[in-house]
Amino acid sequence: MTSAPMRILSGLQPSGRLHIGNYFGMMESALKLQHEGDAYYFIADYHSLTSVHDGRLLRDHVRNLAIDFLACGLDPSRCVFFRQSDIPEHTELAWILSTVTPMGLLERCHSYKDKVARGIHASHGLFAYPVLMAADILIYDSDIVPVGRDQKQHVEVTRDIAIKMNEAFGEGLLKLPQPRIREETAVVPGLDGQKMSKSYDNTIQLFEELPALKKKIMSIKTDSTPVEEPKPVEDSSILALYKLVAAPADYQAMVDDFQRGGIGYGEFKKRLLQATTDYFAPFREKRAEITANPKFVDQVLAEGAEKARAVARKTLARVRDAVGLG
Ligand code: AMP
Ligand code: TRP
């Protein structure tokens, strides 16, 4: 008997432009996994409503993220790529899940507390965010969820909710997913050395124009070690970012140069700028091609929605039946 292919699922919020932390933290491994199983990737626009309250802006972000995903190598012939709000079944399942979700489980979520601390409005939607995420994952009977480390707790909450559902309505009703975290890039540092994040204003965007990219890289925070002295390699954002975009031998050469002394941070930043530009050049070209063909993007999302919806409807019918709805 042949077993079913592994189902992989992940989503990204369209709440701003994609940055290097998103790319190396989540997107790159998600794109590799599209060759290893049955992949479902989506744009989490229902989730972004918890922080973006401007309809035009949200549509703009959705479109840009769709283009970014395709430019980075998402292959619509290998995976199902869709917009979350095209599948309203997610929200119905979220309601059903919310009725078995203990308040305490949500009260423990770091992400909610962090967002409120950063000034995001503490709405019911923001609090219930992990329940909608659980519905996203469970409605496709997902096996593996590739995410950055900050989303790991949400996948654990999803498992807890699935266990509660199975206890209440029958073992095997919902499948328990596993998070997949790539440890080496679990936290990509930003310009100031903290985690790269839109809300810390320390990001390098993937498709940044050259003058802005240069300005940002040149502004990376460094210590005041004089040029001639060896530089500390621990906790250097320059080295951490360079490792992501440079060939291993070039990375090793930079480590050696740090330890030898005699070269200033300005020179290291120039090398980082060059390597970053080179690394993303093919993506940039592809992005220009896709942008010139808006119909292609619409078509990919429409086809993705149709395929995703067929799966989501089936799971929801199974759950409605088990809980006694309809
Ligand atoms: P966000 O836009 O912050 O909601 O993140 C989208 C995805 O990118 C999630 O899977 C995050 O875990 C991942 N991610 C965001 N920032 C970073 C970072 N600085 N390092 C690693 N992964 C990140
Ligand atoms: N919460 C995720 C983030 O901020 C986005 C997301 C929504 C997601 N639903 C998901 C990720 C389901 C993985 C699976 O990045």
Side-chain angles (χ1 to χ4, degrees):
M1 198 177 84
T2 53
S3 54
M6 169 171 81
R7 173 76 48 90
I8 304 143
L9 171 130
S10 195
L12 262 178
Q13 283 194 79
S15 43
R17 295 307 302 276
L18 208 63
H19 59 70
I20 290 188
N22 300 137
Y23 180 77
F24 289 105
M26 173 272 187
M27 205 179 227
E28 193 188 37
S29 31
L31 293 173
K32 279 199 187 120
L33 282 167
Q34 67 184 337
H35 303 285
E36 286 174 34
D38 192 13
Y40 281 62
Y41 296 136
F42 68 96
I43 301 177
D45 53 354
Y46 281 138
H47 277 108
S48 280
L49 280 180
T50 58
S51 61
V52 181
H53 290 162
D54 175 334
R56 266 178 56 184
L57 186 65
L58 183 61
R59 277 213 183 83
D60 225 46
H61 285 332
V62 168
R63 181 138 211 106
N64 272 313
L65 185 56
I67 298 173
D68 287 351
F69 244 121
L70 292 163
C72 289
L74 181 138
D75 178 351
S77 71
R78 299 203 79 100
C79 55
V80 179
F81 182 44
F82 61 100
R83 183 170 38 209
Q84 186 186 28
S85 61
D86 283 337
I87 323 293
E89 285 77 7
H90 289 217
T91 58
E92 184 176 344
L93 181 60
W95 172 254
I96 298 171
L97 300 181
S98 78
T99 62
V100 302
T101 305
M103 287 293 283
L105 193 60
L106 301 180
E107 277 159 1
R108 283 195 293 276
C109 286
H110 309 298
S111 167
Y112 174 74
K113 291 183 250 181
D114 290 351
K115 285 178 177 170
V116 174
R118 289 191 254 130
I120 297 181
H121 173 54
S123 65
H124 171 256
L126 191 68
F127 185 69
Y129 182 113
V131 184
L132 179 58
M133 180 156 163
D136 299 336
I137 297 171
L138 298 173
I139 208 163
Y140 298 102
D141 289 324
S142 311
D143 296 297
I144 304 272
V145 184
V147 281
R149 191 184 287 154
D150 57 352
Q151 295 297 319
K152 186 172 178 218
Q153 190 185 32
H154 287 158
V155 184
E156 288 161 357
V157 166
T158 302
R159 290 175 61 90
D160 289 341
I161 294 176
I163 290 170
K164 290 260 175 228
M165 285 292 290
N166 291 347
E167 278 170 3
F169 301 109
E171 278 317 311
L173 177 62
L174 294 172
K175 191 179 229 178
L176 304 197
Q178 294 284 351
R180 173 78 63 92
I181 319 275
R182 198 174 140 205
E183 281 309 325
E184 355 32 299
T185 56
V187 183
V188 176
L191 302 175
D192 56 359
Q194 293 190 80
K195 174 193 146 175
M196 186 177 288
S197 167
K198 275 186 300 281
S199 35
Y200 302 146
D201 198 18
N202 65 355
T203 65
I204 298 176
Q205 292 171 11
L206 222 55
F207 295 103
E208 197 102 57
E209 294 301 328
L210 189 59
L213 180 65
K214 185 169 177 190
K215 201 166 152 206
K216 283 191 170 178
I217 288 184
M218 288 306 180
S219 77
I220 291 176
K221 219 162 108 190
T222 50
D223 61 23
S224 51
T225 313
V227 173
E228 60 282 2
E229 281 184 28
K231 319 273 178 300
V233 294
E234 298 290 311
D235 299 324
S236 162
S237 303
I238 301 181
L239 273 175
L241 293 170
Y242 194 63
K243 190 171 188 186
L244 299 172
V245 292
D250 292 335
Y251 170 71
Q252 191 52 49
M254 191 185 278
V255 171
D256 295 345
D257 288 341
F258 258 63
Q259 288 172 329
R260 193 178 304 117
I263 297 178
Y265 284 121
E267 164 61 27
F268 294 130
K269 289 177 179 175
K270 278 188 197 147
R271 285 192 214 170
L272 173 61
L273 174 64
Q274 188 60 51
T276 308
T277 317
D278 292 348
Y279 191 92
F280 292 111
F283 297 39
R284 194 178 284 278
E285 261 175 51
K286 188 135 185 242
R287 194 176 202 287
E289 269 171 43
I290 296 167
T291 309
N293 188 0
K295 286 229 171 74
F296 169 71
V297 180
D298 293 337
Q299 194 190 334
V300 165
L301 291 176
E303 281 170 12
E306 200 177 316
K307 288 187 198 151
R309 200 154 187 203
V311 178
R313 277 196 171 126
K314 262 198 193 154
T315 314
L316 185 63
R318 187 172 86 216
V319 173
R320 285 176 63 110
D321 185 48
V323 304
L325 291 175

